Amino acid sequence: MLKLVSLNKSFTGGEVKTTALDRVSLDIGAGEYLAITGPSGCGKSTLLSVLGLFETCDSGEYWFDGRDIAGWSEMELNKLRRGRIGFIFQDFNLLEELSVAENVELALAYTDVPRQERRERVAALLDRLGIAHRARHRPSQLSGGQQQRVAIARALVARPALLLADEPTGNLDTAHGNEVMRLLRQINDEGTAVVMVTHSPEHAAQAGRTVRMRDGRIEADGAVLMQVAS
Ligand code: ADP
């Protein structure tokens, strides 16, 4: 579904040049569940932003659904992102001036989903995630765990093929974090590819595959041997 070939990305601030991604090559198949791990500053968030089409890279190739996106306009990239990619963040990134339902529906703006269907999809997702009774509330009136569920609903409402998650449990207590991990598992079981940045070895172990990064490079990439409790 997605292929990166020798991607490079650096940031220049004043005299200093930081290499965030150094010849990163990665293949992600439809429906895969992949965890990205590694020490702080190794390039995990940059990789996720590039995958999510929020950042462009300096050189290398990025193929999505068999198409090389090099040279695509901002409008074409936005369209691809809106239709195919969902994103959840550590700090939820919900808009406080909108209600919970409006936050979720916003992800369908500029799509060709008809108005009535938008409402139905939002209602069904809020119901599924156990927050239908909060639809008219503002995000700050909800607990952290509930806010992350709103963010998950927003990420899923356009039915993406790929869900990107940047430390989605980082601001949650253990119980709510585990709840989010269960949801990601379910979402993946239903066929959506999930790419998650995490510091937690237990959470990484729930993915089928772990990519370990160091200094902007992929240091290890492999299937995780799940430990089965006996
Ligand atoms: P991680 O997510 O693994 O902590 P990042 O992808 O955030 O790592 O950062 C990788 C490197 O790129 C770091 O050295 C970081 O300081 C640098 N970096 C990331 N974003 C920017 C930016 N917008 N401007 C300058 N440097 C950046």
Side-chain angles (χ1 to χ4, degrees):
M1 177 176 73
L2 199 157
K3 186 180 172 77
L4 307 180
V5 186
S6 202
L7 275 193
N8 292 294
K9 169 84 183 167
S10 55
F11 295 99
T12 312
E15 306 268 290
V16 187
K17 186 174 165 197
T18 309
T19 302
L21 297 179
D22 182 8
R23 285 163 285 163
V24 168
S25 294
L26 192 62
D27 257 300
I28 301 173
E32 260 203 281
Y33 190 170
L34 192 149
I36 302 176
T37 66
S40 188
C42 70
K44 304 182 295 297
S45 294
T46 305
L47 177 58
L48 221 57
S49 300
V50 169
L51 288 173
L53 309 170
F54 290 110
E55 298 258 18
T56 53
C57 46
D58 305 331
S59 62
E61 294 166 27
Y62 181 169
W63 296 75
F64 202 111
D65 291 339
R67 293 171 295 174
D68 182 354
I69 64 159
W72 282 31
S73 69
E74 197 59 39
M75 216 167 80
E76 289 169 313
L77 293 174
N78 281 340
K79 186 158 186 243
L80 176 62
R81 185 189 314 114
R82 268 198 300 271
R84 303 287 287 158
I85 306 176
F87 218 119
I88 57 176
F89 305 87
Q90 183 171 349
D91 54 5
F92 323 132
N93 275 13
L94 300 170
L95 297 177
E96 186 54 28
E97 58 274 25
L98 298 181
S99 70
V100 160
E102 288 164 345
N103 263 282
V104 176
E105 196 175 329
L106 191 62
L108 293 175
Y110 310 109
T111 66
D112 51 14
V113 179
R115 201 159 165 194
Q116 181 61 25
E117 191 186 334
R118 291 184 187 195
R119 301 265 154 84
E120 286 165 7
R121 280 202 203 180
V122 171
L125 266 174
L126 293 181
D127 192 38
R128 175 184 166 189
L129 296 175
I131 42 177
H133 60 302
R134 297 295 203 171
R136 290 168 187 273
H137 287 78
R138 302 280 157 177
S140 64
Q141 294 176 291
L142 276 60
S143 71
Q146 288 174 326
Q147 289 187 48
Q148 193 58 301
R149 277 185 270 158
V150 177
I152 292 173
R154 181 185 56 188
L156 292 181
V157 74
R159 303 190 174 147
L162 172 66
L163 177 64
L164 302 173
D166 197 353
E167 296 196 43
T169 63
N171 279 338
L172 300 177
D173 60 33
T174 308
H176 286 119
N178 289 341
E179 178 61 36
V180 165
M181 292 306 299
R182 262 195 301 279
L183 281 168
L184 293 183
R185 174 81 268 153
Q186 274 177 21
I187 291 161
N188 178 249
D189 284 343
E190 289 161 11
T192 307
V194 177
V195 178
M196 167 183 66
V197 166
T198 181
H199 277 121
S200 156
E202 298 97 82
H203 291 170
Q206 294 188 33
R209 176 180 167 201
T210 295
V211 166
R212 201 169 70 232
M213 295 184 70
R214 178 177 294 273
D215 299 333
R217 305 195 66 170
I218 292 181
E219 185 181 54
D221 179 354
V224 180
L225 289 175
M226 300 286 274
Q227 285 190 334
V228 181
S230 55

